[in-house]
Amino acid sequence: MSDECVTLEGVREEFVAQWGVIGAQWGINRTMAQIHALLLTAAEAMSTDEVMEYLEISRGNAHTNLKDLVGWGLIRIITKKGERKEFFEAEKNVWEMFRRITRERKRREIDPALETLRKCRDATKSMKDRDAKVFYKQISELEDFVSFGSKMSDRVGSLQHGKAIKLAMKLLG
Amino acid sequence: MSDECVTLEGVREEFVAQWGVIGAQWGINRTMAQIHALLLTAAEAMSTDEVMEYLEISRGNAHTNLKDLVGWGLIRIITKKGERKEFFEAEKNVWEMFRRITRERKRREIDPALETLRKCRDATKSMKDRDAKVFYKQISELEDFVSFGSKMSDRVGSLQHGKAIKLAMKLLG
DNA sequence: ACGAAGTTTCAGTAACTACTGAAAGTAGAT
DNA sequence: ATCTACTTTCAGTAGTTACTGAAACTTCGT
C-alpha cells in the first residue's frame, strides 16, 4: 500500500481493491470479492445504490453480485422500517464466515468431484491390464484422500469457534 | 459419466475432462488441470508430443502448462537415456501432492493477502472515529484468523502422512 | 560448422467471463 | 388503477485470459 493512504477511506479503498485481486486468484469474481470487502468493513448496512456509487459499477453488476453473496450466505438483506429499499450487511464473525465458505465450496465443488472419482473408480475396479490397475490405484487413493478431507472439514465446521481454537492449539503445541 | 464408458481410455478421458472443470472452478487453468489429471493417471512418463496428441492442444499450450506444473512441483522432468526429449511424470503420492499445492498457494496467495491485512491494520491502528474503529476491529480479526490458519497449515504440512492421519483420527473420533 | 531434434517465445486470434445500461417487472401508497 | 420507488433480467459489448502456429533459439551428433 502506498504511504499516502492516511485517511480511513484511502486505506479502505486499498483494502477493497486488494481483496478483489485475492478473490480473483481463488476463482471468485473480482467485483463480488470487492463488494464483500466493502460490506465487511462497513459500519452500517449499505444499499445497492451506495455499493454502485462506491465501486463505480453498474446497477446490474451490483445486483447480480449482491445476490450471489446472499447465496453464499456471506451477506444478508436488511430492511429498515420506513425505507422501501433493501440494505445489505455482511456476516462479520470471521469463524462463521469461514464455515459458510467451506460449506458452500464443499457442496458446489468437492461433492461433484467426489462423485466423478467414485464413478471412475467403480468403472475400472475389475479391469485387469496394467494401465487399468495403475489408473484404479491412483483414483482410489485420490478418492480416499478427498473424502477423508471432506469429512474432516464437516467435523471442524461443526465446532464452536472456541473449541476449534483449543483443538488447533493442541495441534500447534 | 455416461454408461458407455466401458474401456479404460473412455473412463480416463472422462476423468481428465472433469478434472479440468473442477480445476477451473478453483482458479486453475483448465488445460493445466487436464494435463495434471492425465499424468497423474499415466503408467509411464509422457512427452510433450504425447500430451499434445492426447488433449489435442498446440505445442505452445502444452509447453506452457507443463512448465507451470513443474513450477508447482506437481510434475517433474524425466530424461530417458538414449532419448533426447524430455518426459514428464506426476508426483503420485496424494499427501505429497496436497502438501505441495498447499505450500504454493500459501506462498503465492495467502502471504500477500496477509501483507495487505497487516498494512491496513497498522494504518488504522490509531484512528479515533467510529468508522475507523469498526474497520480496524474487522481487519484485525481477519488478520488473526488468516495468520492462525496459515500457521496451522505449515504445521500440518510438515507432518508425515501417517502422523497426520493419526491426528485427524483423534479429531474425528 | 552444419543439420536434425527438441525447446522456448510470442504476436495474433479465439473463446470466455464480466459488465453496462436500458427495459421490463413488482409492489406499496394514494 | 395509477404513480413512484425499487428490483430483476438480459441483449449487446468490453475486457480478460487462454490458445495457436510459426519463428527463433538451443543442443547434440556427425
Side-chain angles (χ1 to χ4, degrees):
Chain A
M1 184 171 323
S2 50
D3 297 26
E4 61 270 44
C5 294
V6 288
T7 63
L8 176 62
E9 281 317 309
V11 180
R12 193 164 174 214
E13 217 157 281
E14 186 71 20
F15 172 66
V16 169
Q18 280 303 311
W19 210 243
V21 173
I22 292 157
Q25 289 175 322
W26 283 82
I28 288 151
N29 134 3
R30 207 180 65 241
T31 304
M32 187 167 144
Q34 288 179 339
I35 296 179
H36 185 227
L38 183 62
L39 291 174
L40 194 62
T41 54
E44 306 283 353
M46 293 173 78
S47 67
T48 304
D49 293 74
E50 286 166 334
V51 171
M52 283 167 64
E53 194 196 346
Y54 188 99
L55 297 174
E56 296 179 35
I57 59 177
S58 71
R59 183 170 304 280
N61 193 13
H63 176 80
T64 307
N65 285 293
L66 282 165
K67 286 299 145 99
D68 282 358
L69 281 166
V70 171
W72 276 79
L74 294 175
I75 67 175
R76 64 184 140 268
I77 299 170
I78 295 287
T79 46
K80 299 188 183 181
K81 40 186 175 181
E83 291 262 25
R84 219 148 123 190
K85 54 167 159 282
E86 295 180 333
F87 291 81
F88 301 89
E89 177 183 78
E91 168 58 58
K92 298 222 169 183
N93 182 290
V94 178
W95 177 248
E96 188 56 33
M97 205 175 105
F98 170 75
R99 298 208 307 179
R100 291 185 186 189
I101 292 171
T102 308
R103 200 187 310 141
E104 278 301 301
R105 282 209 104 130
K106 179 170 160 359
R107 194 175 67 73
R108 298 178 190 209
E109 293 149 19
I110 304 291
D111 292 349
L114 269 175
E115 197 49 37
T116 298
L117 286 168
R118 290 208 182 97
K119 280 178 180 163
C120 289
R121 188 175 65 173
D122 292 350
T124 53
K125 189 168 193 128
S126 46
M127 289 184 184
K128 294 282 182 281
D129 66 298
R130 184 170 109 85
D131 286 4
K133 294 277 184 203
V134 171
F135 183 89
Y136 176 75
K137 178 164 181 287
Q138 195 60 42
I139 294 288
S140 296
E141 283 173 18
L142 206 51
E143 208 246 286
D144 290 346
F145 186 79
V146 176
S147 82
F148 185 76
S150 170
K151 274 180 208 123
M152 288 282 296
S153 114
D154 285 347
R155 189 77 179 80
V156 172
S158 71
L159 295 170
Q160 294 299 327
H161 187 204
K163 294 233 177 191
I165 293 286
K166 246 172 135 179
L167 206 94
M169 283 303 179
K170 256 205 284 198
L171 193 62
L172 283 171
Chain B
M1 185 173 321
S2 50
D3 296 27
E4 62 271 42
C5 294
V6 288
T7 62
L8 175 62
E9 282 317 310
V11 180
R12 193 165 175 214
E13 218 158 282
E14 186 72 20
F15 171 66
V16 169
Q18 280 303 312
W19 211 243
V21 173
I22 292 157
Q25 290 175 321
W26 283 82
I28 288 150
N29 135 1
R30 205 178 69 242
T31 304
M32 186 166 144
Q34 288 178 340
I35 296 179
H36 186 227
L38 183 61
L39 291 173
L40 194 61
T41 55
E44 306 282 353
M46 293 174 79
S47 66
T48 304
D49 293 75
E50 286 166 334
V51 171
M52 282 167 64
E53 194 195 347
Y54 189 99
L55 297 174
E56 296 178 35
I57 59 177
S58 72
R59 182 170 303 281
N61 194 13
H63 176 79
T64 307
N65 285 293
L66 282 165
K67 286 300 144 101
D68 283 357
L69 282 165
V70 171
W72 275 79
L74 294 174
I75 68 176
R76 64 183 140 266
I77 299 169
I78 296 286
T79 46
K80 300 189 181 179
K81 42 185 172 181
E83 291 263 23
R84 217 148 123 189
K85 55 166 159 280
E86 296 180 333
F87 291 80
F88 300 90
E89 178 183 76
E91 167 60 57
K92 298 223 170 182
N93 182 289
V94 178
W95 176 248
E96 188 57 32
M97 206 176 104
F98 169 75
R99 298 209 304 181
R100 291 185 187 190
I101 293 171
T102 307
R103 200 187 311 141
E104 278 301 302
R105 281 209 105 130
K106 179 170 162 354
R107 194 175 66 73
R108 297 177 192 212
E109 293 150 18
I110 304 292
D111 292 348
L114 269 176
E115 198 48 38
T116 297
L117 286 169
R118 289 208 182 97
K119 280 179 179 163
C120 289
R121 189 174 65 172
D122 293 349
T124 53
K125 189 165 193 131
S126 45
M127 289 185 184
K128 295 281 181 280
D129 66 298
R130 185 171 109 84
D131 285 4
K133 294 276 183 205
V134 170
F135 183 88
Y136 176 75
K137 178 164 181 287
Q138 194 61 43
I139 294 289
S140 296
E141 281 174 18
L142 205 52
E143 208 246 285
D144 289 347
F145 186 79
V146 176
S147 83
F148 185 76
S150 170
K151 276 180 206 124
M152 288 283 295
S153 116
D154 285 347
R155 190 79 179 78
V156 172
S158 71
L159 295 170
Q160 293 300 326
H161 187 201
K163 295 234 175 190
I165 292 287
K166 246 172 134 178
L167 205 94
M169 282 304 178
K170 257 203 284 194
L171 194 62
L172 283 171

